[in-house]
């Protein structure tokens, strides 16, 4: 049987300072910090994961705070994910306007698309973040006293990426990944899984005028799609190789396993397994409390901790 994508897994961005990043995603957007670890490919940098209570696939936003590490600000443009959209319940945008104003986050109302309304803002590093009031979303949110469950983010709704020729990207997503065209308007196409769920959408936006994207601070690095397990992942790896695409070996990301490849428009995709998940090395109630390192880095813990900046998520 052909392997299938179950939805988005996570979105990963290169950001600036860690401390404002944690405050924005936990206090402004109300997500839970579910894991505090390091970039396994560069242990001088945190890897922060935000999501629902247990960091389920499709709720996860992850960041690499690279401030002070010699990276310049990136350029948003063609060949890149330019907007990350979070799903909020119908009727909740009025709450969000008051909440954002109280938190001194400036926002604009997004142009209606596919009949849906949104608020647009930038995170502290300049990433474009959208709160999208879409169809009913059954995912259980992480709620707090300040952002109650009636308004809280359900998870990621989808991402928008810009390419020069949408046709090639759409063909790749449908023929190689098995996604469906959900809706189309002008030069924007929404792709998703068969049952059209928030948390599974990729919006392809074709543009002649957008600058060429440059990776750097304040840009999205990649989007990860979820598969149930190792077998599906290996089947996709085999399919990509058979069709002539470059794809990496399986990488152990501790909380899931990953393969990476580029689609024709230049977007970096990852396919990640749903498990084993974030309770692998912390209890559910303690997620995100401690700096967690993979076993092979434990012997370097003192040096790694000394080099990382402090995070004070509860400071204002
Ligand atoms: Zn990733």
């Amino acid at each position: 049987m052909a392997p299938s994508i179950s939805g988005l897994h996570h979105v990963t961005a290169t950001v600036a300072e860690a401390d404002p990043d944690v405050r924005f995603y936990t206090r402004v957007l109300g997500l839970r910090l579910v894991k505090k670890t390091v970039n396994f490919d560069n242990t001088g940098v945190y890897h922060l994961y935000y999501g629902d209570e247990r960091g389920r696939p499709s709720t996860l936003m992850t960041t690499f705070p690279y401030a002070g590490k010699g990276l310049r600000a990136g350029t948003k443009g063609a060949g890149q994910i330019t907007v990350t959209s979070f799903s909020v319940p119908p009727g909740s945008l009025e709450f969000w306007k008051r909440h954002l104003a109280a938190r001194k986050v400036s926002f604009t109302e997004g142009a209606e698309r596919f009949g849906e309304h949104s608020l647009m803002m930038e995170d502290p590093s300049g990433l474009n973040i959208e709160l999208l009031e879409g169809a009913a979303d059954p995912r259980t949110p992480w709620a707090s006293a300040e952002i109650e469950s009636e308004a809280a983010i359900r998870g990621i709704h989808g991402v928008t990426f810009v390419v020069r020729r949408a046709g090639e990207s759409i063909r790749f997503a449908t023929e190689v990944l098995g996604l469906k065209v959900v809706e189309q308007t002008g030069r924007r196409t929404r792709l998703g899984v068969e049952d059209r769920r928030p948390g599974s959408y990729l919006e392809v936006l074709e543009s002649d005028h957008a600058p060429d994207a440059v990776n750097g601070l304040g840009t999205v690095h990649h989007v990860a799609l979820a598969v149930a397990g190792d077998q599906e992942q290996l089947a996709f790896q085999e399919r990509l190789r058979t069709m002539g695409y470059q794809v990496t070996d399986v990488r152990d990301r501790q909380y899931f396993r990953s393969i990476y490849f580029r689609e024709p428009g230049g977007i970096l995709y990852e396919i990640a397994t749903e498990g084993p998940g974030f309770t692998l090395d912390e209890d559910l109630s303690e997620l995100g409390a401690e700096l967690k390192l993979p076993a092979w880095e434990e012997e370097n813990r003192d040096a790694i901790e000394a080099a990382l900046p402090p995070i004070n998520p509860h400071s204002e």
Side-chain angles (χ1 to χ4, degrees):
M1 218 185 91
S4 67
I5 300 292
S6 56
L8 300 183
H9 191 288
H10 63 266
V11 175
T12 293
T14 306
V15 299
E17 306 276 351
D19 204 35
D21 190 74
V22 174
R23 276 205 300 280
F24 180 81
Y25 287 98
T26 62
R27 307 296 295 277
V28 176
L29 295 190
L31 303 177
R32 184 181 192 193
L33 176 64
V34 291
K35 195 62 65 182
K36 192 162 60 176
T37 181
V38 292
N39 182 343
F40 291 0
D41 303 319
N42 180 352
T43 58
V45 173
Y46 282 114
H47 194 179
L48 305 173
Y49 290 82
Y50 308 98
D52 72 355
E53 182 188 24
R54 55 174 68 238
R56 288 178 182 83
S58 87
T59 71
L60 289 165
M61 178 76 187
T62 99
T63 61
F64 294 127
Y66 260 93
K69 300 288 177 185
L71 262 196
R72 312 240 295 245
T75 304
K76 297 184 193 76
Q80 197 183 55
I81 291 155
T82 53
V83 181
T84 303
S85 305
F86 290 91
S87 169
V88 297
S92 69
L93 288 185
E94 289 307 315
F95 163 84
W96 282 101
K97 288 178 189 172
R98 291 193 303 275
H99 173 71
L100 294 170
R103 288 262 161 204
K104 298 189 169 46
V105 174
S106 49
F107 59 88
T108 56
E109 299 201 21
E112 185 181 327
R113 67 176 194 274
F114 304 126
E116 295 168 345
H117 297 270
S118 69
L119 301 178
M120 302 287 305
M121 71 207 77
E122 289 189 355
D123 87 345
S125 303
L127 291 175
N128 290 326
I129 300 294
E130 180 180 50
L131 298 178
L132 189 64
E133 202 181 74
D137 187 336
R139 291 174 290 178
T140 304
W142 175 249
S144 64
E146 197 177 342
I147 306 172
E148 295 180 3
S149 60
E150 295 79 68
I153 285 174
R154 268 48 189 166
I156 291 176
H157 183 276
V159 294
T160 296
F161 62 78
V162 176
V163 292
R164 300 279 179 230
R165 287 189 297 279
E168 294 177 3
S169 292
I170 294 167
R171 223 166 11 253
F172 181 87
T174 53
E175 291 175 6
V176 182
L177 302 178
L179 300 176
K180 307 290 176 202
V181 172
V182 174
E183 279 179 285
Q184 214 152 15
T185 176
R187 300 179 85 183
R188 181 184 287 270
T189 304
R190 181 179 284 178
L191 301 155
V193 295
E194 182 85 58
D195 60 355
R196 305 173 168 221
R197 270 179 279 116
S200 77
Y201 295 136
L202 300 168
E203 293 189 16
V204 184
L205 185 58
E206 188 175 69
S207 169
D208 308 317
H209 309 297
D212 289 331
V214 180
N215 274 330
L217 303 184
T219 59
V220 173
H221 189 262
H222 63 266
V223 61
L225 306 167
V227 288
D230 297 324
Q231 267 188 318
E232 287 81 359
Q233 183 174 63
L234 293 172
F236 271 115
Q237 187 188 46
E238 176 65 26
R239 178 189 289 192
L240 283 155
R241 285 187 175 149
T242 303
M243 295 176 85
Y245 293 100
Q246 298 272 341
V247 54
T248 66
D249 291 331
V250 175
R251 310 252 168 95
D252 181 5
R253 298 311 189 195
Q254 191 87 344
Y255 312 105
F256 46 88
R257 282 171 288 283
S258 302
I259 57 172
Y260 303 84
F261 50 96
R262 274 187 205 280
E263 58 85 73
I267 308 302
L268 183 60
Y269 279 142
E270 172 182 347
I271 289 179
T273 56
E274 289 181 2
F278 295 97
T279 52
L280 181 76
D281 57 3
E282 273 176 312
D283 287 342
L284 184 60
S285 63
E286 298 292 319
L287 290 183
E290 304 277 334
L291 178 71
K292 303 308 285 187
L293 297 175
W296 63 87
E297 293 290 356
E298 274 300 341
E299 60 180 334
N300 305 316
R301 176 175 281 274
D302 290 350
I304 289 172
E305 284 186 348
L308 289 168
I311 292 176
N312 301 300
H314 301 295
S315 65
E316 287 299 315

